[in-house]
Amino acid sequence: MPNAFISGTGYYVPPRVVTNDDLRTQYGIDTTSEWIVQRTGIESRRYAEEGVGSADLAVPAAQMAVKNAGIALTDLDMIVFATLSPEHCFPGSGVYLQQKLGLCDGPNAKFVPALDVRNQCSGFLYGLGTATSMVKSGAAKHVLVVGAETHSAALDLSTRGRAVSSLFGDGAGAVVVSATDVDRGIRSWKLGADGRFADTLSQRIWDIRKRPFIPQSAEGVGQVQPELMFAQMDGKLVFKNAVMRMMEVLMEVCVAEGINGTDIDMFFFHQANLRINQYLQQHLGIPDEKVVHNIQRYGNTTAATIPILMAEAVEQGRLKRGMKCAAIAFGSGFTWGAAIIDW
Ligand code: UT7
């Protein structure tokens, strides 16, 4: 059975920087930079322009990952696309990405499978686990795993929505998971979910149990109330569970791998709140130089946080071959996951 390793990483964030002060001055939100920085560590985020979607953001990230993997786009055997902000209800963003990468054109078109993953902040790790299984089973040699989000289109950018909208930003990260006979790569990984908290962090635009699934006006126009149109969150409950589950799942993969936290050279924590990660870091006694963050610059980019962190760490020369890494995520569902990777 081959090993599955991350052969290439890539990322892309849209150029428009929106600072905490911009939320106040450009959108009229009653907030302060002090409040946001103190509670979350976020200083700015990126917003894509109108007309740009998650598959568009994913294109340069995927191209960079494929180039860094030293393969051609046509070598890919599968696309796994994790997002909570797909272009449309259906089809998923994976097929749009496939088309935008030119993989449906010309004599080299292979029409590889494209799978969308709907596990929000844990989506990348759910995708990584899927890709690892596909590669190890021999079903695929190179799988593109993307996390990409266009949050800015679906945030309640008003004082009413500030508790959620101040947290999120747009961006895309990608990795290629490839087969190798070398003793390296994605080792133990573990995923979890607790559906009792399905409504604790959710965006319930429609209700398929209702007839019709979105209320209509007399003229037949769909009407969605703001509390359904925009994501709702019980922040304190999410925070508590995030700390608990991330700690637990990290311990589980360490035990499965027979290692201690001190054996890990670099930690990629999901970027939901700098305070969550600092709490974990302190509790586990992890020194600063072993942790990378980007929430200060990008906010929470949900499925994209971990692959962006990885791609930036490679680009900055911090993440090197032979390092032992841990990736840990938690989010809506609740869902969570962790993986140990020998880079
Ligand atoms: O990736 C998905 C997972 N998500 C997370 O992990 C998020 C986890 N939760 C959190 O990070 C924190 O709960 C938040 C940062 C979201 C919120 O912090 P909090 O300490 O739980 O604040 P809160 O929601 O209890 O709100 C406290 C106050 C409220 O005002 P009142 O009711 O006390 O008058 C809010 O209206 O802060 C107010 N508030 C704000 N004020 C200024 C909420 N958002 C803002 C804001 N600016 N942006």
Side-chain angles (χ1 to χ4, degrees):
M1 186 165 62
N3 287 310
F5 80 114
I6 294 180
S7 56
T9 57
Y11 74 106
Y12 176 77
V13 289
R16 185 174 161 220
V17 178
V18 176
T19 65
N20 294 340
D21 282 334
D22 292 337
L23 293 179
R24 196 165 42 79
T25 56
Q26 291 180 23
Y27 295 96
I29 300 176
D30 178 13
T31 189
T32 61
S33 189
E34 290 70 30
W35 192 98
I36 300 173
V37 171
Q38 198 185 42
R39 307 272 174 133
T40 69
I42 299 166
E43 291 164 20
S44 63
R45 69 285 292 141
R46 303 293 181 98
Y47 283 179
E49 298 305 325
E50 187 161 356
V52 174
S54 298
D56 296 303
L57 298 178
V59 169
Q63 285 168 334
M64 183 175 165
V66 165
K67 183 165 178 258
N68 287 339
I71 60 168
L73 282 163
T74 47
D75 291 326
L76 293 173
D77 300 309
M78 184 177 184
I79 294 169
V80 180
F81 199 124
T83 186
L84 64 67
S85 46
E87 271 66 14
H88 303 297
C89 169
F90 69 83
S93 292
V95 291
Y96 288 107
L97 177 61
Q98 182 193 42
Q99 193 189 99
K100 285 171 191 285
L101 288 173
L103 291 173
C104 307
D105 304 323
N108 291 331
K110 284 205 288 193
F111 302 109
V112 299
L115 171 73
D116 268 46
V117 170
R118 296 287 309 276
N119 291 85
Q120 299 68 248
C121 301
S122 318
F124 175 73
L125 288 183
Y126 270 72
L128 191 72
T130 305
T132 301
S133 302
M134 294 295 286
V135 167
K136 286 196 164 196
S137 73
K141 274 204 177 107
H142 302 288
V143 180
L144 176 68
V145 184
V146 174
E149 305 287 359
T150 315
H151 283 300
S152 56
L155 294 175
D156 183 359
L157 289 165
S158 71
T159 299
R160 180 186 54 207
R162 65 185 178 179
V164 172
S165 59
S166 53
L167 307 178
F168 293 93
D170 302 343
V175 302
V176 177
V177 177
S178 299
T180 181
D181 293 328
V182 179
D183 185 20
R184 66 183 291 201
I186 299 140
R187 307 294 194 182
S188 296
W189 54 274
K190 177 124 179 83
L191 305 171
D194 185 348
R196 290 175 299 174
F197 296 96
D199 292 334
T200 305
L201 172 49
S202 61
Q203 185 184 10
R204 286 170 290 158
I205 297 175
W206 70 76
D207 188 338
I208 209 74
R209 298 164 298 186
K210 296 204 168 134
R211 306 288 181 273
F213 73 126
I214 289 174
Q216 282 176 299
S217 70
E219 295 76 38
V221 178
Q223 292 174 325
V224 183
Q225 297 301 313
E227 63 273 18
L228 296 180
M229 187 161 161
F230 300 113
Q232 305 294 322
M233 167 171 76
D234 179 341
K236 285 193 166 53
L237 193 53
V238 176
F239 194 112
K240 262 190 248 164
N241 279 271
V243 167
M244 181 181 80
R245 293 299 188 185
M246 287 170 87
M247 193 102 74
E248 242 173 43
V249 74
L250 175 59
M251 290 301 131
E252 282 170 358
V253 286
C254 283
V255 168
E257 206 50 35
I259 59 169
N260 292 314
T262 48
D263 296 322
I264 296 166
D265 301 307
M266 189 162 280
F267 290 82
F268 300 104
F269 290 112
H270 169 55
Q271 306 285 292
N273 186 326
L274 193 60
R275 309 299 163 226
I276 294 178
N277 297 349
Q278 285 171 336
Y279 180 89
L280 291 169
Q281 199 186 327
Q282 267 170 18
H283 200 80
L284 298 167
I286 303 167
D288 283 347
E289 61 273 16
K290 289 190 171 186
V291 185
V292 284
H293 292 296
N294 59 30
I295 189 166
Q296 299 95 325
R297 290 173 286 131
Y298 303 147
N300 182 350
T301 55
T302 306
T305 61
I306 292 175
I308 296 178
L309 284 175
M310 288 175 170
E312 286 190 330
V314 169
E315 194 174 59
Q316 293 158 5
R318 288 186 68 181
L319 179 52
K320 298 196 185 77
R321 173 84 203 271
M323 286 172 85
K324 196 176 278 299
C325 306
I328 312 104
F330 176 88
S332 160
F334 292 146
T335 59
W336 57 87
I340 301 292
I341 304 162
D342 283 326
W343 203 263

